[in-house]
Amino acid sequence: MRLTLEFGGGLELLLKESVKLHQVDVTQKSGEDKVTMRDLLSWVKGNLIKERPEMFIKGDSVRPGVLVLINDCDWELCGNLDAELEEKDMIVFISTLHGG
Amino acid sequence: MAAQVIRTDGATSDWIHGEIQRLKLEKEQLENRISALESQLHTSTSSSPVAKIEENSSCSITDGSTFCANGSSANALSAEMIYRYSRQLLLPDFGVEGQRKLSQSRVLVIGAGGLGSPVAMYLASCGVGCIGIVDGDTVELNNLHRQIIHTEAYVGKPKVQSAAAACHAINSSVKVVEHQGLLHPSNALKIVNQYDVVVDATDNLPSRYMISDCCVVLQKPLVSGAALGLEGQLTVYNHKGSPCYRCLFPTPPPSAACQRCSDSGVLGVVPGVIGCMQALEAIKIAADVGEPLSGRMLLFDALSARIRIVKLRGRSSACTICGENSSFTKEEFERFDYENFTQSPMSDRTRPKLSLLPESARITIKEYKEVLDKSERHTLLDVRPVHQFKITSLPNSVNIPLTDLEKELPKLGSMLNDSSLYVICRRGNTSQTAVQLLHQKGFFSAKDIIGGLESWAQEIDPKFPIY
């Protein structure tokens, strides 16, 4: 499944070369025909995060202070970890900023 | 030229008489304003301690000078106001009604830094009735690249004083209240309660939770902005069904995830952009025009020139502060320890001081100077990131950033050749982590230089650049 992922607010620093935008191909788990946010998080942790995974993941979800947006919509409105993704979805992970 | 010729006829002389009349009225209003300010100057108490909030006046907008007093209806704008605000009065969506509401509104700007600068300037210029400004810091030279309300003349003076003077210089008809000092649970209710709209332009996590909670308790809309590096974020909390900060972030992030401008850097115009939009949202709410950015968040990425506006969750019924079953009271608010809750300090200026090493593994900057003076054979390892090393460094230091240190150990080993190893960074925290790692990997002679390059600048060479 082709997805576009974007990391911001400093989360990109956890990735290789601090690249923010990623076009990725996430495969369904065997026997499953869908990809949920839960699957995507574990895929991101295994394939994109290069350092300090605890700055991205806590338990089976994202760490506190990270907003997750599926097609520009808060994932809380789409089912959180159980949200089912579709081809060409855009998922944004953004850490909140506090500076000023 | 043509205009001057036409103005010699009778109609023009009527126009001139009218204009003279108008200017005389304007002059009278200005003189009234001047004498009011002069009397305020005589009664005000100066020299306040920075730690304690000192208010120069309350924020009631009863000042008659705001409105026309010469016989017309109480709701009409004065001639001076019409002229000053003409370009926004011409907007059908804003107009006289918007201006009137704006001039009767009171807006509190918390933080007179990179975000608060454009906020306060635009609120003053557009004619908000009363602007309150809270800040406990003084102006520093390294603020001026982004905190555009301050000028060199105010370096060393309180930011609140500088910002208020700038607002007055822009528009002497708006009331500016100086709240000198840090906003704290013990004074926040009293201050915030005097205002209709609150703008969070602070630079730290505990203040953000505190201000949001305070706005929920007092039922005030909160225009919240943040900026760091080359990114900014903006939303309106606690307004027209939008969530509060705690609905979005019930648990604070780990303190390691909280970057500060003084560590990570910030391009001045980035908080400028977000601050301008905060001013805009505050004006929209105060004038009751348009569609506020509530329930939505604006994400600004300066480097790629992308702005994204996303839909947020609604108010959480389970929220411990604004939820249906919340019993969060003013008393609880006043007692709440926000620094403990977030495990981070209420000021961007408070820096964590690590203490990871035994004393035997550390030397002072003066001791290191003696090593240099005695020409003792050694290697000076600078573990800051490459871009910081490029800003300034000590001569003969070798740069291996902490993030690369482990994989560069063989290189370091061949370089050392049994000489002693001293490790330095900007302030003496990263260097401790590095020395700890070096000890684990068998480099037992590695020593940390306490206080880093900052202490070199403070104690050895005052000309050494500080950033």
Side-chain angles (χ1 to χ4, degrees), chain A residues 36-80:
Chain A
T36 64
M37 274 305 299
R38 188 179 278 107
D39 302 329
L40 179 65
L41 284 184
S42 97
W43 187 90
V44 168
K45 191 184 173 190
N47 293 275
L48 291 180
I49 303 288
K50 293 286 165 206
E51 56 175 285
R52 294 179 288 159
E54 73 281 6
M55 286 290 105
F56 183 67
I57 297 277
K58 188 178 181 190
D60 63 350
S61 190
V62 292
R63 70 148 166 87
V66 172
L67 274 181
V68 183
L69 308 157
I70 305 170
N71 301 324
D72 287 343
C73 188
D74 191 338
W75 75 333
E76 289 289 329
L77 299 169
C78 320
N80 201 297

mmCIF file of all heavy atoms in Angstrom, chain A residues 36-80:
data_model
loop_
_atom_site.group_PDB
_atom_site.id
_atom_site.type_symbol
_atom_site.label_atom_id
_atom_site.label_comp_id
_atom_site.label_asym_id
_atom_site.label_seq_id
_atom_site.Cartn_x
_atom_site.Cartn_y
_atom_site.Cartn_z
ATOM 1 N N THR A 36 -3.770 -1.103 9.381
ATOM 2 C CA THR A 36 -4.285 -0.152 10.364
ATOM 3 C C THR A 36 -3.147 0.751 10.833
ATOM 4 O O THR A 36 -1.979 0.496 10.553
ATOM 5 C CB THR A 36 -4.858 -0.885 11.594
ATOM 6 O OG1 THR A 36 -3.777 -1.580 12.219
ATOM 7 C CG2 THR A 36 -5.964 -1.849 11.216
ATOM 8 N N MET A 37 -3.502 1.791 11.579
ATOM 9 C CA MET A 37 -2.490 2.678 12.138
ATOM 10 C C MET A 37 -1.558 1.891 13.059
ATOM 11 O O MET A 37 -0.373 2.189 13.143
ATOM 12 C CB MET A 37 -3.146 3.827 12.914
ATOM 13 C CG MET A 37 -3.543 5.016 12.065
ATOM 14 S SD MET A 37 -2.205 5.715 11.081
ATOM 15 C CE MET A 37 -1.053 6.230 12.318
ATOM 16 N N ARG A 38 -2.102 0.887 13.753
ATOM 17 C CA ARG A 38 -1.267 0.065 14.630
ATOM 18 C C ARG A 38 -0.162 -0.616 13.823
ATOM 19 O O ARG A 38 1.006 -0.608 14.204
ATOM 20 C CB ARG A 38 -2.148 -0.980 15.346
ATOM 21 C CG ARG A 38 -1.407 -1.768 16.418
ATOM 22 C CD ARG A 38 -2.310 -2.767 17.115
ATOM 23 N NE ARG A 38 -3.107 -2.154 18.177
ATOM 24 C CZ ARG A 38 -4.403 -1.921 18.099
ATOM 25 N NH1 ARG A 38 -5.077 -2.261 17.007
ATOM 26 N NH2 ARG A 38 -5.046 -1.356 19.087
ATOM 27 N N ASP A 39 -0.563 -1.168 12.652
ATOM 28 C CA ASP A 39 0.423 -1.804 11.770
ATOM 29 C C ASP A 39 1.448 -0.781 11.294
ATOM 30 O O ASP A 39 2.645 -1.052 11.246
ATOM 31 C CB ASP A 39 -0.263 -2.414 10.531
ATOM 32 C CG ASP A 39 -1.325 -3.427 10.906
ATOM 33 O OD1 ASP A 39 -1.156 -4.091 11.953
ATOM 34 O OD2 ASP A 39 -2.322 -3.542 10.165
ATOM 35 N N LEU A 40 0.947 0.407 10.934
ATOM 36 C CA LEU A 40 1.856 1.422 10.380
ATOM 37 C C LEU A 40 2.885 1.856 11.421
ATOM 38 O O LEU A 40 4.067 1.994 11.108
ATOM 39 C CB LEU A 40 1.072 2.639 9.877
ATOM 40 C CG LEU A 40 1.956 3.749 9.302
ATOM 41 C CD1 LEU A 40 2.685 3.291 8.045
ATOM 42 C CD2 LEU A 40 1.153 5.020 9.011
ATOM 43 N N LEU A 41 2.436 2.045 12.672
ATOM 44 C CA LEU A 41 3.377 2.472 13.712
ATOM 45 C C LEU A 41 4.495 1.461 13.880
ATOM 46 O O LEU A 41 5.666 1.817 13.986
ATOM 47 C CB LEU A 41 2.654 2.681 15.043
ATOM 48 C CG LEU A 41 1.823 3.955 15.186
ATOM 49 C CD1 LEU A 41 1.248 4.045 16.592
ATOM 50 C CD2 LEU A 41 2.655 5.185 14.878
ATOM 51 N N SER A 42 4.131 0.176 13.879
ATOM 52 C CA SER A 42 5.187 -0.819 14.078
ATOM 53 C C SER A 42 6.084 -0.881 12.834
ATOM 54 O O SER A 42 7.289 -1.081 12.939
ATOM 55 C CB SER A 42 4.595 -2.174 14.478
ATOM 56 O OG SER A 42 4.464 -3.027 13.386
ATOM 57 N N TRP A 43 5.498 -0.627 11.661
ATOM 58 C CA TRP A 43 6.316 -0.577 10.439
ATOM 59 C C TRP A 43 7.293 0.604 10.489
ATOM 60 O O TRP A 43 8.479 0.471 10.171
ATOM 61 C CB TRP A 43 5.406 -0.455 9.203
ATOM 62 C CG TRP A 43 6.183 -0.560 7.907
ATOM 63 C CD1 TRP A 43 6.467 -1.699 7.206
ATOM 64 C CD2 TRP A 43 6.793 0.522 7.190
ATOM 65 N NE1 TRP A 43 7.217 -1.403 6.096
ATOM 66 C CE2 TRP A 43 7.441 -0.041 6.061
ATOM 67 C CE3 TRP A 43 6.872 1.892 7.379
ATOM 68 C CZ2 TRP A 43 8.143 0.717 5.133
ATOM 69 C CZ3 TRP A 43 7.574 2.657 6.461
ATOM 70 C CH2 TRP A 43 8.201 2.078 5.343
ATOM 71 N N VAL A 44 6.791 1.773 10.923
ATOM 72 C CA VAL A 44 7.648 2.961 11.006
ATOM 73 C C VAL A 44 8.781 2.722 11.997
ATOM 74 O O VAL A 44 9.943 3.024 11.728
ATOM 75 C CB VAL A 44 6.817 4.211 11.432
ATOM 76 C CG1 VAL A 44 7.727 5.370 11.817
ATOM 77 C CG2 VAL A 44 5.886 4.639 10.303
ATOM 78 N N LYS A 45 8.430 2.134 13.125
ATOM 79 C CA LYS A 45 9.450 1.868 14.145
ATOM 80 C C LYS A 45 10.531 0.928 13.601
ATOM 81 O O LYS A 45 11.725 1.138 13.838
ATOM 82 C CB LYS A 45 8.784 1.247 15.385
ATOM 83 C CG LYS A 45 9.710 1.188 16.586
ATOM 84 C CD LYS A 45 9.047 0.486 17.768
ATOM 85 C CE LYS A 45 10.056 0.284 18.887
ATOM 86 N NZ LYS A 45 9.514 -0.593 19.938
ATOM 87 N N GLY A 46 10.101 -0.058 12.848
ATOM 88 C CA GLY A 46 11.056 -1.045 12.331
ATOM 89 C C GLY A 46 11.839 -0.577 11.119
ATOM 90 O O GLY A 46 12.956 -1.032 10.877
ATOM 91 N N ASN A 47 11.251 0.333 10.321
ATOM 92 C CA ASN A 47 11.870 0.666 9.045
ATOM 93 C C ASN A 47 12.405 2.084 8.905
ATOM 94 O O ASN A 47 13.268 2.339 8.080
ATOM 95 C CB ASN A 47 10.876 0.418 7.896
ATOM 96 C CG ASN A 47 10.561 -1.052 7.732
ATOM 97 O OD1 ASN A 47 11.278 -1.783 7.066
ATOM 98 N ND2 ASN A 47 9.495 -1.491 8.387
ATOM 99 N N LEU A 48 11.862 3.028 9.665
ATOM 100 C CA LEU A 48 12.285 4.421 9.464
ATOM 101 C C LEU A 48 13.045 5.024 10.635
ATOM 102 O O LEU A 48 13.958 5.812 10.442
ATOM 103 C CB LEU A 48 11.061 5.317 9.160
ATOM 104 C CG LEU A 48 10.365 5.111 7.812
ATOM 105 C CD1 LEU A 48 9.192 6.078 7.689
ATOM 106 C CD2 LEU A 48 11.323 5.317 6.646
ATOM 107 N N ILE A 49 12.643 4.657 11.856
ATOM 108 C CA ILE A 49 13.265 5.288 13.025
ATOM 109 C C ILE A 49 14.691 4.773 13.187
ATOM 110 O O ILE A 49 14.918 3.575 13.260
ATOM 111 C CB ILE A 49 12.444 4.992 14.313
ATOM 112 C CG1 ILE A 49 10.997 5.454 14.148
ATOM 113 C CG2 ILE A 49 13.093 5.621 15.542
ATOM 114 C CD1 ILE A 49 10.772 6.920 14.148
ATOM 115 N N LYS A 50 15.631 5.718 13.212
ATOM 116 C CA LYS A 50 17.033 5.313 13.301
ATOM 117 C C LYS A 50 17.594 5.447 14.714
ATOM 118 O O LYS A 50 18.594 4.833 15.050
ATOM 119 C CB LYS A 50 17.886 6.163 12.347
ATOM 120 C CG LYS A 50 17.587 5.903 10.892
ATOM 121 C CD LYS A 50 18.157 4.554 10.437
ATOM 122 C CE LYS A 50 17.542 4.149 9.092
ATOM 123 N NZ LYS A 50 17.515 2.716 8.870
ATOM 124 N N GLU A 51 17.028 6.351 15.505
ATOM 125 C CA GLU A 51 17.563 6.508 16.859
ATOM 126 C C GLU A 51 16.458 6.876 17.850
ATOM 127 O O GLU A 51 15.391 7.326 17.447
ATOM 128 C CB GLU A 51 18.663 7.576 16.885
ATOM 129 C CG GLU A 51 18.222 8.927 16.345
ATOM 130 C CD GLU A 51 19.304 9.980 16.508
ATOM 131 O OE1 GLU A 51 19.491 10.443 17.644
ATOM 132 O OE2 GLU A 51 19.942 10.322 15.502
ATOM 133 N N ARG A 52 16.736 6.710 19.101
ATOM 134 C CA ARG A 52 15.840 7.045 20.211
ATOM 135 C C ARG A 52 14.365 6.728 19.916
ATOM 136 O O ARG A 52 13.527 7.632 19.892
ATOM 137 C CB ARG A 52 15.996 8.527 20.564
ATOM 138 C CG ARG A 52 17.372 8.868 21.135
ATOM 139 C CD ARG A 52 17.468 10.337 21.439
ATOM 140 N NE ARG A 52 17.540 11.114 20.203
ATOM 141 C CZ ARG A 52 17.231 12.397 20.094
ATOM 142 N NH1 ARG A 52 16.787 13.061 21.142
ATOM 143 N NH2 ARG A 52 17.337 13.028 18.951
ATOM 144 N N PRO A 53 14.018 5.460 19.687
ATOM 145 C CA PRO A 53 12.613 5.132 19.362
ATOM 146 C C PRO A 53 11.639 5.568 20.452
ATOM 147 O O PRO A 53 10.469 5.826 20.165
ATOM 148 C CB PRO A 53 12.630 3.607 19.212
ATOM 149 C CG PRO A 53 13.892 3.149 19.863
ATOM 150 C CD PRO A 53 14.871 4.262 19.725
ATOM 151 N N GLU A 54 12.147 5.698 21.691
ATOM 152 C CA GLU A 54 11.255 6.124 22.783
ATOM 153 C C GLU A 54 10.789 7.574 22.610
ATOM 154 O O GLU A 54 9.844 8.010 23.253
ATOM 155 C CB GLU A 54 11.942 5.929 24.148
ATOM 156 C CG GLU A 54 13.064 6.925 24.469
ATOM 157 C CD GLU A 54 14.405 6.600 23.790
ATOM 158 O OE1 GLU A 54 14.458 5.661 22.973
ATOM 159 O OE2 GLU A 54 15.386 7.321 24.064
ATOM 160 N N MET A 55 11.450 8.317 21.701
ATOM 161 C CA MET A 55 11.004 9.683 21.402
ATOM 162 C C MET A 55 9.839 9.671 20.401
ATOM 163 O O MET A 55 9.288 10.701 20.062
ATOM 164 C CB MET A 55 12.156 10.519 20.829
ATOM 165 C CG MET A 55 13.193 10.934 21.843
ATOM 166 S SD MET A 55 12.555 12.170 22.985
ATOM 167 C CE MET A 55 12.335 11.186 24.421
ATOM 168 N N PHE A 56 9.513 8.471 19.894
ATOM 169 C CA PHE A 56 8.414 8.358 18.934
ATOM 170 C C PHE A 56 7.302 7.452 19.459
ATOM 171 O O PHE A 56 6.122 7.778 19.372
ATOM 172 C CB PHE A 56 8.954 7.817 17.602
ATOM 173 C CG PHE A 56 7.913 7.727 16.518
ATOM 174 C CD1 PHE A 56 7.349 8.878 15.979
ATOM 175 C CD2 PHE A 56 7.474 6.492 16.059
ATOM 176 C CE1 PHE A 56 6.367 8.789 14.989
ATOM 177 C CE2 PHE A 56 6.497 6.408 15.061
ATOM 178 C CZ PHE A 56 5.949 7.565 14.534
ATOM 179 N N ILE A 57 7.686 6.319 20.011
ATOM 180 C CA ILE A 57 6.715 5.294 20.423
ATOM 181 C C ILE A 57 6.684 5.176 21.943
ATOM 182 O O ILE A 57 7.723 5.245 22.598
ATOM 183 C CB ILE A 57 7.117 3.915 19.840
ATOM 184 C CG1 ILE A 57 7.091 3.937 18.305
ATOM 185 C CG2 ILE A 57 6.248 2.805 20.385
ATOM 186 C CD1 ILE A 57 5.741 3.719 17.689
ATOM 187 N N LYS A 58 5.492 5.014 22.499
ATOM 188 C CA LYS A 58 5.392 4.618 23.894
ATOM 189 C C LYS A 58 4.309 3.546 23.971
ATOM 190 O O LYS A 58 3.176 3.783 23.553
ATOM 191 C CB LYS A 58 5.044 5.810 24.779
ATOM 192 C CG LYS A 58 5.116 5.472 26.252
ATOM 193 C CD LYS A 58 4.829 6.656 27.126
ATOM 194 C CE LYS A 58 4.945 6.244 28.582
ATOM 195 N NZ LYS A 58 4.452 7.293 29.477
ATOM 196 N N GLY A 59 4.661 2.378 24.489
ATOM 197 C CA GLY A 59 3.732 1.249 24.470
ATOM 198 C C GLY A 59 3.457 0.883 23.030
ATOM 199 O O GLY A 59 4.381 0.762 22.235
ATOM 200 N N ASP A 60 2.163 0.769 22.671
ATOM 201 C CA ASP A 60 1.867 0.440 21.272
ATOM 202 C C ASP A 60 1.390 1.667 20.498
ATOM 203 O O ASP A 60 0.926 1.565 19.377
ATOM 204 C CB ASP A 60 0.850 -0.715 21.174
ATOM 205 C CG ASP A 60 -0.490 -0.332 21.775
ATOM 206 O OD1 ASP A 60 -0.570 0.743 22.430
ATOM 207 O OD2 ASP A 60 -1.462 -1.089 21.584
ATOM 208 N N SER A 61 1.511 2.872 21.122
ATOM 209 C CA SER A 61 1.053 4.076 20.439
ATOM 210 C C SER A 61 2.198 5.081 20.330
ATOM 211 O O SER A 61 3.340 4.772 20.638
ATOM 212 C CB SER A 61 -0.127 4.673 21.202
ATOM 213 O OG SER A 61 -0.735 5.695 20.437
ATOM 214 N N VAL A 62 1.871 6.310 19.894
ATOM 215 C CA VAL A 62 2.924 7.336 19.849
ATOM 216 C C VAL A 62 3.117 7.894 21.258
ATOM 217 O O VAL A 62 2.248 7.786 22.107
ATOM 218 C CB VAL A 62 2.565 8.486 18.872
ATOM 219 C CG1 VAL A 62 2.582 7.982 17.440
ATOM 220 C CG2 VAL A 62 1.227 9.115 19.219
ATOM 221 N N ARG A 63 4.270 8.514 21.495
ATOM 222 C CA ARG A 63 4.531 9.068 22.819
ATOM 223 C C ARG A 63 3.654 10.306 23.036
ATOM 224 O O ARG A 63 3.208 10.932 22.061
ATOM 225 C CB ARG A 63 6.010 9.430 22.966
ATOM 226 C CG ARG A 63 6.444 10.613 22.128
ATOM 227 C CD ARG A 63 7.547 11.424 22.789
ATOM 228 N NE ARG A 63 8.171 12.336 21.860
ATOM 229 C CZ ARG A 63 7.727 13.564 21.604
ATOM 230 N NH1 ARG A 63 6.621 14.014 22.185
ATOM 231 N NH2 ARG A 63 8.358 14.337 20.742
ATOM 232 N N PRO A 64 3.424 10.679 24.302
ATOM 233 C CA PRO A 64 2.660 11.903 24.564
ATOM 234 C C PRO A 64 3.312 13.106 23.882
ATOM 235 O O PRO A 64 4.533 13.190 23.799
ATOM 236 C CB PRO A 64 2.750 12.051 26.088
ATOM 237 C CG PRO A 64 3.019 10.690 26.605
ATOM 238 C CD PRO A 64 3.825 9.994 25.544
ATOM 239 N N GLY A 65 2.468 14.006 23.392
ATOM 240 C CA GLY A 65 2.998 15.208 22.741
ATOM 241 C C GLY A 65 3.144 15.070 21.240
ATOM 242 O O GLY A 65 3.610 15.983 20.579
ATOM 243 N N VAL A 66 2.750 13.895 20.694
ATOM 244 C CA VAL A 66 2.800 13.724 19.236
ATOM 245 C C VAL A 66 1.374 13.708 18.702
ATOM 246 O O VAL A 66 0.523 12.974 19.204
ATOM 247 C CB VAL A 66 3.518 12.417 18.832
ATOM 248 C CG1 VAL A 66 3.392 12.176 17.329
ATOM 249 C CG2 VAL A 66 4.984 12.469 19.239
ATOM 250 N N LEU A 67 1.106 14.562 17.720
ATOM 251 C CA LEU A 67 -0.191 14.548 17.051
ATOM 252 C C LEU A 67 -0.082 13.674 15.815
ATOM 253 O O LEU A 67 0.908 13.758 15.087
ATOM 254 C CB LEU A 67 -0.570 15.960 16.598
ATOM 255 C CG LEU A 67 -1.273 16.893 17.581
ATOM 256 C CD1 LEU A 67 -1.565 18.217 16.871
ATOM 257 C CD2 LEU A 67 -2.554 16.287 18.108
ATOM 258 N N VAL A 68 -1.103 12.842 15.584
ATOM 259 C CA VAL A 68 -1.126 12.008 14.387
ATOM 260 C C VAL A 68 -2.304 12.454 13.534
ATOM 261 O O VAL A 68 -3.426 12.594 14.027
ATOM 262 C CB VAL A 68 -1.258 10.512 14.752
ATOM 263 C CG1 VAL A 68 -1.211 9.659 13.488
ATOM 264 C CG2 VAL A 68 -0.170 10.095 15.733
ATOM 265 N N LEU A 69 -2.024 12.724 12.270
ATOM 266 C CA LEU A 69 -3.061 13.230 11.369
ATOM 267 C C LEU A 69 -3.174 12.318 10.158
ATOM 268 O O LEU A 69 -2.175 12.009 9.516
ATOM 269 C CB LEU A 69 -2.701 14.645 10.919
ATOM 270 C CG LEU A 69 -2.389 15.592 12.078
ATOM 271 C CD1 LEU A 69 -1.522 16.744 11.619
ATOM 272 C CD2 LEU A 69 -3.677 16.088 12.717
ATOM 273 N N ILE A 70 -4.385 11.868 9.889
ATOM 274 C CA ILE A 70 -4.621 11.047 8.704
ATOM 275 C C ILE A 70 -5.395 11.914 7.720
ATOM 276 O O ILE A 70 -6.507 12.362 8.015
ATOM 277 C CB ILE A 70 -5.425 9.773 9.056
ATOM 278 C CG1 ILE A 70 -4.707 8.988 10.162
ATOM 279 C CG2 ILE A 70 -5.647 8.922 7.818
ATOM 280 C CD1 ILE A 70 -5.526 7.850 10.747
ATOM 281 N N ASN A 71 -4.782 12.186 6.588
ATOM 282 C CA ASN A 71 -5.384 13.091 5.594
ATOM 283 C C ASN A 71 -5.881 14.385 6.243
ATOM 284 O O ASN A 71 -7.031 14.793 6.093
ATOM 285 C CB ASN A 71 -6.509 12.391 4.832
ATOM 286 C CG ASN A 71 -6.003 11.156 4.105
ATOM 287 O OD1 ASN A 71 -4.885 11.137 3.603
ATOM 288 N ND2 ASN A 71 -6.799 10.103 4.097
ATOM 289 N N ASP A 72 -4.981 15.022 6.980
ATOM 290 C CA ASP A 72 -5.232 16.315 7.637
ATOM 291 C C ASP A 72 -6.330 16.271 8.694
ATOM 292 O O ASP A 72 -7.001 17.277 8.959
ATOM 293 C CB ASP A 72 -5.543 17.407 6.594
ATOM 294 C CG ASP A 72 -4.286 17.810 5.834
ATOM 295 O OD1 ASP A 72 -3.183 17.505 6.326
ATOM 296 O OD2 ASP A 72 -4.414 18.414 4.768
ATOM 297 N N CYS A 73 -6.529 15.123 9.282
ATOM 298 C CA CYS A 73 -7.545 14.994 10.315
ATOM 299 C C CYS A 73 -6.958 14.243 11.523
ATOM 300 O O CYS A 73 -6.303 13.214 11.360
ATOM 301 C CB CYS A 73 -8.731 14.223 9.724
ATOM 302 S SG CYS A 73 -10.134 14.185 10.813
ATOM 303 N N ASP A 74 -7.170 14.783 12.693
ATOM 304 C CA ASP A 74 -6.722 14.177 13.944
ATOM 305 C C ASP A 74 -7.130 12.706 13.989
ATOM 306 O O ASP A 74 -8.297 12.371 13.790
ATOM 307 C CB ASP A 74 -7.419 14.951 15.094
ATOM 308 C CG ASP A 74 -6.849 14.619 16.459
ATOM 309 O OD1 ASP A 74 -6.241 13.546 16.619
ATOM 310 O OD2 ASP A 74 -7.054 15.445 17.370
ATOM 311 N N TRP A 75 -6.187 11.823 14.261
ATOM 312 C CA TRP A 75 -6.510 10.385 14.213
ATOM 313 C C TRP A 75 -7.516 9.977 15.293
ATOM 314 O O TRP A 75 -8.133 8.925 15.200
ATOM 315 C CB TRP A 75 -5.242 9.523 14.253
ATOM 316 C CG TRP A 75 -4.534 9.402 15.587
ATOM 317 C CD1 TRP A 75 -4.544 10.302 16.601
ATOM 318 C CD2 TRP A 75 -3.731 8.304 16.027
ATOM 319 N NE1 TRP A 75 -3.769 9.859 17.643
ATOM 320 C CE2 TRP A 75 -3.257 8.630 17.320
ATOM 321 C CE3 TRP A 75 -3.346 7.095 15.464
ATOM 322 C CZ2 TRP A 75 -2.429 7.769 18.054
ATOM 323 C CZ3 TRP A 75 -2.521 6.246 16.194
ATOM 324 C CH2 TRP A 75 -2.076 6.590 17.477
ATOM 325 N N GLU A 76 -7.702 10.817 16.299
ATOM 326 C CA GLU A 76 -8.730 10.540 17.311
ATOM 327 C C GLU A 76 -10.119 10.512 16.668
ATOM 328 O O GLU A 76 -11.041 9.894 17.188
ATOM 329 C CB GLU A 76 -8.705 11.614 18.407
ATOM 330 C CG GLU A 76 -7.506 11.545 19.322
ATOM 331 C CD GLU A 76 -7.531 10.346 20.254
ATOM 332 O OE1 GLU A 76 -8.636 9.905 20.624
ATOM 333 O OE2 GLU A 76 -6.438 9.844 20.600
ATOM 334 N N LEU A 77 -10.263 11.241 15.548
ATOM 335 C CA LEU A 77 -11.559 11.293 14.857
ATOM 336 C C LEU A 77 -11.707 10.148 13.858
ATOM 337 O O LEU A 77 -12.750 9.975 13.253
ATOM 338 C CB LEU A 77 -11.713 12.631 14.132
ATOM 339 C CG LEU A 77 -11.681 13.890 15.002
ATOM 340 C CD1 LEU A 77 -11.569 15.142 14.140
ATOM 341 C CD2 LEU A 77 -12.910 13.965 15.888
ATOM 342 N N CYS A 78 -10.617 9.374 13.670
ATOM 343 C CA CYS A 78 -10.653 8.321 12.647
ATOM 344 C C CYS A 78 -10.483 6.921 13.233
ATOM 345 O O CYS A 78 -10.334 5.959 12.484
ATOM 346 C CB CYS A 78 -9.543 8.528 11.606
ATOM 347 S SG CYS A 78 -9.234 10.207 11.097
ATOM 348 N N GLY A 79 -10.439 6.817 14.551
ATOM 349 C CA GLY A 79 -10.329 5.484 15.140
ATOM 350 C C GLY A 79 -8.997 5.191 15.795
ATOM 351 O O GLY A 79 -8.727 4.052 16.178
ATOM 352 N N ASN A 80 -8.131 6.218 15.870
ATOM 353 C CA ASN A 80 -6.867 6.050 16.586
ATOM 354 C C ASN A 80 -6.076 4.857 16.031
ATOM 355 O O ASN A 80 -5.915 4.750 14.813
ATOM 356 C CB ASN A 80 -7.198 5.895 18.081
ATOM 357 C CG ASN A 80 -6.046 6.220 18.995
ATOM 358 O OD1 ASN A 80 -5.039 5.549 18.951
ATOM 359 N ND2 ASN A 80 -6.190 7.263 19.788
#
